[in-house]
């Protein structure tokens, strides 16, 4: 285990099991649909890569990068698009793939945006959820795991851009964060 991690919250094995289950659920729901899977960078890149290999219906992938943070360390309603999609979404079934739903501001704003762009449907697949932290009403249609209110890193998720490469989800020792 990395020396700066105090606890492993989700092991590599559990991550695999979660992705398998989510892939089955999604495959069942999107048979014969024009599915566009949109990863929200950077945090979702490993989840996205594992998840789509467990989905066995035809799909396309695209990515967006957004920054939802205002002044502090918490999301505000203000969501800036740093990188937009290449694909057109009008008339397509969009599945947004997020690492973690926290306050909910990011996904609320993205949901509105995809509706404005006339997607046929917009659903959310989130690897993690912190329900206790929610500020706006947003719910994942597909959820990997509910976690308590702690700052987590690994499996794509960072603290100050580090730790994304850890093959598990962990909690930082308090003197690191
Ligand atoms: P929101 O507050 O808008 O729901 O979440 C915005 C983003 O904040 C998440 O997609 C994620 O990238 C980041 N975030 C929220 N909680 C955590 C956390 O515990 N660890 C890390 N690394 N990022 C988080
Ligand atoms: Mg994110
Ligand atoms: Mg981040």
């Amino acid at each position: 285990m990395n020396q700066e991690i105090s606890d492993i919250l989700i092991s590599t094995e559990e991550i695999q099991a979660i992705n398998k289950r989510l892939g089955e659920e999604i495959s069942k729901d999107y048979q014969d649909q024009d599915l566009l899977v949109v990863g929200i960078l950077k945090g979702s890149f490993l989840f996205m890569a594992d998840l789509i290999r467990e989905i066995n219906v035809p799909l396309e992938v695209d990515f967006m990068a957004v920054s939802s943070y205002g002044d502090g360390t918490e999301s505000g309603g203000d969501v800036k698009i740093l990188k937009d999609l290449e694909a057109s979404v009008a008339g397509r079934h969009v599945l947004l793939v997020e690492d973690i739903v926290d306050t909910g501001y990011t996904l609320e704003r993205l949901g509105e945006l995809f509706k404005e762009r006339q997607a046929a449907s917009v659903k959310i697949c989130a690897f993690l959820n912190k329900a206790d932290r929610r500020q706006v009403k947003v719910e994942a249609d597909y959820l990997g795991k509910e976690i308590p209110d702690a700052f987590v890193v690994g499996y794509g998720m960072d603290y100050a851009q580090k730790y994304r490469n850890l093959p598990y989800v962990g909690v930082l020792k308090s003197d690191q964060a």
Side-chain angles (χ1 to χ4, degrees), residues 63-83:
F63 294 92
M64 266 181 108
V66 298
S67 117
S68 50
Y69 284 19
D71 306 335
T73 54
E74 187 171 295
S75 267
D78 199 22
V79 175
K80 221 192 287 167
I81 297 177
L82 303 177
K83 178 215 177 298

Side-chain angles (χ1 to χ4, degrees), residues 16-33:
Q16 281 169 1
I18 288 171
N19 282 320
K20 203 163 182 310
R21 170 176 59 79
L22 292 175
E24 279 168 17
E25 290 175 20
I26 292 164
S27 302
K28 234 180 264 162
D29 292 353
Y30 285 93
Q31 283 174 38
D32 305 315
Q33 309 242 37

